[in-house]
């Protein structure tokens, strides 16, 4: 359950605003890919094109190809709903559904798509997803309580459980730890490590140590000036990016000599 | 006030800004605790003196005492604790005064309807009888010879419930779907602007115009002068729809976008996201908005008078013939008593109907709160 993603000359727009330009890269299966870069350079925007969430924004559109195992996600006969079932997403702020219990939250992706489910299957899927998100032992006694009663870090892992319950190929995470305390961050980072044995994981982070800790490959995004589109400066093995980057801009950013 | 000054330096903090040349900070002095109580006592004493002593009207006495209280408060606290505290006290006094003034009409209204209509309403006969066959002679007998009071508002209660219910059934789907379109689908499109504009225009339509609209519509479709419950329901929904649209739009807008995105990112189609995530999250607000919209139209008189007419007997068929409703019932009993010479029983019926209407509105408001609490997303 994991797929390789090829991105060719992707240009991303918000209406007439050109947000990201000419990105080409390869995202390897069963690995963790991290995107770093100054804020506003289009990391989130780019990430959201990988499961076609970008077009949810009014005026959002894309030029170029995103190929998942050779299939173009943006070709005409592909339904965005279908793409999103294959490419899950975890957001910056934990966003469990407030009207649902922990268990309902985990099963939301299945229930909301009204797949018929026997209650034993539901229990099993729920447990598997929660174990997969390292949350089972903490919530197994209160599956029927609301998800909003959990701590921030637990809520974020609940959102990860919700994402993996629909058994996607790829999981996208947009700064998943930026709203969390250090302990919860560690829990989520451990989880990311484990996830890569089953999934292709793509994570945006503003924390370079985090990128260095969790990722196999790292892409550095930058923008020349405000109002100009962001672009991919370089992408390489995380080791190389942090120890021996190919571009001056990357080195400046990583050593904190940015701007 | 040397003593007060000493208190300052003893209890107040020595701020660094106090030592900057050219800066004179406003003094911070503790407000004396007792002063408020003393002034309150003075105010009460003044009321008693003016009312009982000088035999002034109670309202005049209270107003005079209140003004005196404000003046004394300001002066007293200014001397004792400085301008800031004095202004604070003065404003507090004015706010409490405004609160009481705002509450007075409500209390007076409740008191009037309860005292004048209460006796009839607690009597089950009034709630279970119609006006069918009741004439001025009965009222004359009741008023003159103390005969049994007959004639109630059963048909009006039933009519109110049926017509308002039908209006709700029309308005909620139309209003809610419009709101869903505006919030979830329209974005900033031109059509959305146009719809919002016309909804705003509709909000301002006088209720009699809504009644005439229904009357005219029925005249065209079913023949001039056709009056039935459904026409009333249509008139009421003209008044209700804009309220429902506006309330629902507001409620849907405050559902965080993150929840929609979370659902979409799970591969849930948009319409299902709306039905299963957005609407349940907004349910409490939507339900209480609808309830309040009902409460607003349930007391309408003019449009129902025009579109539904007036019936003395029970009519439960919305599609045929005039019906009665509480507001129209009260209006008729008051303006056209059964027996012009012996008005008391009719007036009593009017007050009782008014009380019933108030009770229904209060019940609707309470249930709006209950509904809101029931549907609200639980925190723990
Ligand atoms: N919904 C939106 N509508 C219009 N412009 C947007 C929207 N979201 C982001 N942008 C713009 O796109 C650019 C990239 O933003 P973003 O992807 O959020 O950056 P990052 O995640 O790297 O901080 C910014 O200039 C931002 O102002
Ligand atoms: Mg971002």
């Amino acid at each position: 359950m994991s797929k390789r993603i090829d991105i060719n000359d992707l240009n991303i727009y918000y209406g007439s605003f050109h947000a990201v330009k000419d990105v080409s890269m390869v995202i390897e299966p069963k690995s963790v890919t991290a995107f770093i870069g100054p804020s506003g350079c289009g990391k989130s925007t780019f990430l959201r094109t990988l499961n076609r969430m970008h077009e949810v924004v009014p005026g959002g559109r894309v030029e170029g190809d995103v190929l998942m195992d050779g299939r173009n996600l943006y070709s005409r006969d592909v339904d965005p709903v279908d793409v999103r079932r294959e490419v899950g997403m975890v957001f910056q702020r934990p966003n469990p559904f407030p009207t649902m219990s922990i268990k309902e939250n985990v099963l939301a992706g299945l229930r909301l798509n009204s797949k018929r489910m026997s209650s034993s299957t539901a229990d099993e899927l729920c447990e598997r997803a929660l174990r997969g998100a390292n949350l089972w032992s903490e919530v197994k006694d209160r599956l029927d309580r609301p998800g909003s009663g959990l701590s921030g870090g637990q809520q974020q892992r609940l959102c990860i459980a919700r994402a993996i319950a629909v058994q996607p190929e790829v999981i996208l995470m947009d700064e998943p730890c930026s709203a969390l305390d250090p302990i919860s961050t560690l829990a989520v980072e451990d989880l990311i490590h484990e996830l890569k044995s089953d999934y292709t994981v793509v994570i945006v982070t503003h924390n370079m140590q985090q990128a260095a800790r969790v990722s196999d490959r790292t892409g550095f995004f930058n923008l020349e000036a405000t109002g100009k589109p962001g672009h991919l400066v370089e992408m390489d093995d995380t080791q190389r990016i942090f120890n021996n980057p190919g571009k001056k801009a990357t080195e400046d950013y990583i050593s904190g000599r940015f701007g | 006030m040397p003593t007060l000054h000493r208190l300052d330096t003893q209890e107040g903090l020595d701020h660094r800004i106090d030592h900057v040349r050219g800066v004179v900070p406003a003094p911070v002095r503790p407000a004396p605790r007792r002063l408020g109580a003393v002034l309150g006592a003075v105010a009460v004493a003044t009321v008693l003196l003016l009312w009982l002593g000088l035999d002034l009207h109670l309202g005049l006495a209270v107003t005079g005492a209140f003004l005196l209280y404000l003046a004394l408060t300001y002066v007293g606290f200014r001397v004792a604790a400085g301008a800031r505290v004095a202004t604070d006290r003065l404003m507090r006094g004015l706010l409490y005064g405004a609160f009481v003034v705002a509450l007075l009409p409500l209390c007076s209204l409740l008191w009037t309807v309860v005292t004048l209509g209460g006796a009839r309403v607690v009597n089950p006969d009034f709630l279970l009888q119609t006006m069918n066959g009741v004439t001025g002679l009965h009222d004359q007998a009741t008023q003159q010879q103390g005969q049994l009071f007959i004639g109630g508002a059963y048909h009006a209660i039933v009519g109110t419930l049926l017509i308002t219910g039908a209006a709700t059934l029309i308005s909620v789907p139309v209003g809610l779907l419009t709101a869903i379109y505006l919030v979830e689908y329209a974005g900033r499109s031109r059509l959305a602007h146009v719809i919002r504009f016309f909804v705003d225009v509709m909000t301002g339509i006088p209720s009699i115009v809504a009644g005439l609209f229904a009357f005219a519509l029925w005249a065209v479709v079913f023949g001039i002068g056709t009056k039935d419950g459904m026409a009333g329901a249509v008139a009421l929904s003209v008044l209700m729809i804009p309220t429902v649209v506006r309330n629902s739009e507001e409620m849907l807008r405050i559902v965080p976008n993150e929840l929609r995105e979370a659902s979409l990112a799970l591969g849930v189609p948009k319409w299902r996201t709306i039905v299963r995530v957005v609407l349940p999250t907004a349910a409490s607000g939507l339900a209480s908005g609808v309830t309040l919209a009902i409460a607003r139209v349930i007391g309408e008189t003019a449009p129902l008078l025009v579109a539904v007419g007036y019936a003395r007997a029970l009519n439960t068929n919305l599609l045929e013939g005039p019906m009665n409703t509480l507001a129209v019932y009260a209006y008729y009993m008051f303006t056209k008593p059964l027996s012009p010479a012996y008005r008391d029983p009719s007036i009593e019926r009017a007050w009782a109907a008014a009380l019933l209407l108030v009770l229904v509105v209060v019940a609707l408001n309470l249930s709006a709160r209950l509904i809101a609490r029931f549907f609200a997303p639980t925190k723990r």
Side-chain angles (χ1 to χ4, degrees), chain A residues 182-197:
Chain A
I183 306 277
S184 309
T185 300
L186 218 61
V188 172
E189 283 183 11
D190 286 346
L191 176 57
I192 293 171
H193 255 300
E194 289 168 25
L195 288 177
K196 81 172 176 186
S197 56

Side-chain angles (χ1 to χ4, degrees), chain A residues 39-40 42-45 92 174-175 204:
Chain A
S39 84
K43 307 179 294 292
S44 305
T45 304
Q92 186 165 355
D174 190 355
E175 303 194 17
V204 168

Side-chain angles (χ1 to χ4, degrees), chain B residues 82-93:
Chain B
R84 185 178 59 86
V85 174
T87 313
D88 174 45
R89 292 293 167 144
L90 179 69
M91 284 305 169
R92 273 197 227 187

